[in-house]
């Protein structure tokens, strides 16, 4: 019935039929708690119910139903450790964590503490599960990637909640984990979106707070990453931007003596322009839109714009 209703586009009919199936399978599983077939079907249909709720834009019920599926699959995995239930449990926990963060981000303003706790709990459960998987199968890089994904979820959850210190803490932990993972598996990560995320989060926070020390650390971390050649230019460019922001932040740091402030401002700015030259050598400015961005619209480079060495650098781009 669920399949028929789905084909007809009858979402409510599909929901009613799958709920009835789950109720029947729950009773069967309670009556025979060691029957693997009943438990497996109960988990499977609970996951289908969760997806039906999600499609009907009822995230709370979707997460509840998927949590039931996760609990049953965890039980099955404990009953049969060598089976495929480990990966099924992981996929289910991933769905919960992803849905929870999407639900968390869907609201306006600062979310309630209770929603933050739910989101953090889902992400931590996800991380703990895959940490255990990684311990059992250290040769499998996929489990390490799931752990990184869990830390990304924690960082963005704290960011959404306006918890700056926790956002920094989790983002820095994520950067450290990424560095080690990339060193061992340089061909595996998503260098376009996932790897840059903690740097983007932290550079924004550091710029807002004038934290030039953190900006320097971020630039150094980007420089240490052993990224594939095709991604090297954009990472160098981001590092140069952070060095530029560090020069702007230290220039207005009234906690430093004036002489030291001026020396550091000059040092960081000179290094930022040098790094931009390295970016040019890496081929980043072969794309005209990257030239326009650096020349006119990238506010990260604003601390350099009145400098003669930066103006000369921009002129070389025009010549190219």
């Amino acid at each position: 019935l669920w399949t028929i209703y789905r084909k007809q586009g009858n979402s409510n009919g599909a929901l009613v039929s799958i709920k009835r199936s789950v109720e029947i399978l729950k009773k069967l599983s309670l009556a025979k708690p060691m029957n693997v077939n009943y438990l497996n079907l109960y988990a499977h249909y609970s996951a289908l119910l969760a997806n039906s709720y999600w499609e009907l834009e009822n995230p709370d019920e979707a997460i509840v139903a998927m949590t039931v599926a996760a609990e049953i699959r965890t039980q099955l995995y404990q009953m049969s450790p060598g089976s495929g239930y480990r990966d099924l449990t992981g996929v289910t926990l991933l769905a919960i964590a992803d849905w929870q963060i999407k639900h968390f981000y869907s609201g306006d303003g600062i979310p309630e503490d209770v929603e933050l706790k739910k989101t953090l709990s889902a992400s931590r459960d996800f991380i703990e599960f895959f940490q255990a998987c990684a311990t059992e199968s250290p040769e499998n890089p996929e489990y390490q990637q799931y752990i990184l994904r869990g830390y990304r979820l924690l960082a963005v959850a704290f960011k959404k909640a306006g918890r700056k210190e926790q956002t920094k803490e989790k983002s820095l932990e994520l950067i450290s984990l990424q560095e080690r993972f990339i060193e061992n598996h340089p061909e595996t990560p998503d260098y376009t979106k996932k790897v840059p995320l903690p740097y983007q989060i932290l550079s924004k926070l550091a710029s807002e707070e004038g934290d030039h020390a953190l900006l320097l650390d971020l630039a150094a971390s980007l420089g240490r990453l052993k990224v594939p050649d095709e991604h090297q230019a954009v990472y160098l460019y981001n590092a140069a931007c952070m060095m530029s922001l560090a020069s702007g932040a230290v220039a207005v740091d009234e906690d430093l003596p004036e002489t030291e402030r001026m020396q550091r401002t000059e040092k960081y700015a000179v290094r930022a322009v040098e790094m931009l030259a390295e970016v040019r050598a890496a081929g980043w400015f072969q794309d005209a839109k990257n030239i326009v961005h650096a020349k006119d619209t990238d506010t990260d480079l604003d601390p350099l714009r009145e400098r003669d060495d930066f103006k000369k650098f921009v002129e070389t781009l025009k010549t190219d």
Side-chain angles (χ1 to χ4, degrees):
L1 281 174
W2 178 79
T3 304
I4 292 170
Y5 282 132
R6 294 267 296 180
K7 288 181 178 179
Q8 293 174 345
N10 186 343
S11 298
N12 287 318
L15 179 65
V16 171
S17 65
I18 202 69
K19 282 177 70 175
R20 181 59 180 149
S21 299
V22 168
E23 289 167 2
I24 294 168
L25 288 162
K26 180 179 180 180
K27 290 177 181 178
L28 289 170
S29 298
L30 289 172
K32 296 187 177 182
M34 300 306 291
N35 188 307
V36 172
N37 288 331
Y38 288 158
L39 288 170
N40 188 34
L41 286 169
Y42 183 20
H44 178 64
Y45 278 85
S46 294
L48 293 179
L49 175 61
N51 280 288
S52 294
Y53 275 126
W54 187 260
E55 290 172 0
L56 289 168
E57 299 182 357
N58 190 338
D60 290 320
E61 292 294 342
I63 291 166
V64 168
M66 194 63 83
T67 301
V68 171
E71 290 170 352
I72 301 165
R73 284 172 173 167
T74 300
Q75 180 184 343
L76 287 165
Y77 171 49
Q78 291 168 347
M79 292 167 62
S80 306
S83 66
Y85 291 119
R86 179 172 68 179
D87 289 347
L88 272 175
T89 303
V91 169
T92 310
L93 290 170
L94 171 61
I96 295 168
D98 276 352
W99 285 357
Q100 189 66 60
I101 197 72
K102 288 175 183 176
H103 181 37
F104 185 62
Y105 255 72
S106 65
D108 297 326
I110 302 297
E112 297 292 335
D113 283 349
V114 65
E115 291 300 325
L116 175 61
K117 289 177 181 177
K118 288 180 184 177
T119 303
L120 297 178
S121 177
S123 298
R124 286 169 177 152
D125 288 346
F126 176 70
I127 291 170
E128 288 174 8
F129 177 82
F130 279 105
Q131 283 174 334
C133 292
T135 300
E136 293 174 10
S137 305
E139 74 286 351
N140 189 337
E142 186 175 359
Y143 295 141
Q144 296 290 342
Q145 289 198 87
Y146 280 130
I147 294 169
L148 295 175
R149 186 167 182 169
Y151 273 90
R152 289 187 197 104
L153 293 175
L154 288 176
V156 298
F158 280 124
K159 177 176 177 287
K160 171 65 174 176
R163 307 288 182 88
K164 291 186 178 181
E165 289 306 314
Q166 291 95 330
T167 302
K168 285 184 184 178
E169 178 188 345
K170 292 305 170 188
S171 297
L172 288 169
E173 284 184 47
L174 175 55
I175 285 173
S176 178
L177 290 169
Q178 284 187 163
E179 285 183 355
R180 293 199 297 272
F181 181 76
I182 288 170
E183 187 173 357
N184 295 321
H185 307 282
E187 300 302 323
T188 308
D190 176 355
Y191 289 99
T192 304
K193 294 181 180 179
K194 294 179 181 177
V195 174
L197 177 66
Y199 296 96
Q200 294 164 353
I201 291 173
L202 286 172
S203 64
K204 187 174 187 302
L205 284 176
S207 298
E208 290 171 353
E209 298 177 355
D211 190 345
H212 45 86
L214 178 54
L215 287 163
L216 290 176
D217 287 343
L218 293 173
S221 176
L222 280 171
R224 287 194 300 269
L225 284 179
K226 294 178 172 57
V227 302
D229 291 344
E230 63 268 26
H231 298 286
Q232 192 67 45
V234 66
Y235 278 75
L236 283 172
Y237 181 77
N238 287 332
C241 287
M242 289 174 193
M243 188 62 70
S244 168
L245 290 170
S247 73
V250 78
V252 294
D253 186 351
E254 296 183 356
D255 292 334
L256 292 174
E258 184 177 359
T259 301
E260 182 179 355
R261 189 165 65 240
M262 293 174 63
Q263 289 174 343
R264 288 199 191 185
T265 301
E266 180 66 13
K267 178 182 177 181
Y268 300 162
V270 167
R271 180 59 188 139
V273 176
E274 290 174 349
M275 292 170 76
L276 286 170
E278 295 171 14
V279 172
R280 175 188 173 191
W284 180 246
F285 295 113
Q286 291 177 6
D287 189 330
K289 72 175 184 293
N290 292 338
I291 296 177
V292 173
H293 183 54
K295 176 179 173 291
D296 299 322
T297 61
D298 192 345
T299 56
D300 289 351
L301 299 178
D302 284 354
L304 307 177
R305 297 201 182 279
E306 299 303 316
R307 293 179 57 86
D308 289 339
D309 53 358
F310 179 77
K311 291 177 181 177
K312 289 178 182 177
F313 173 77
V314 170
E315 286 300 319
T316 65
L317 297 182
K318 290 181 182 178
T319 302
D320 290 348

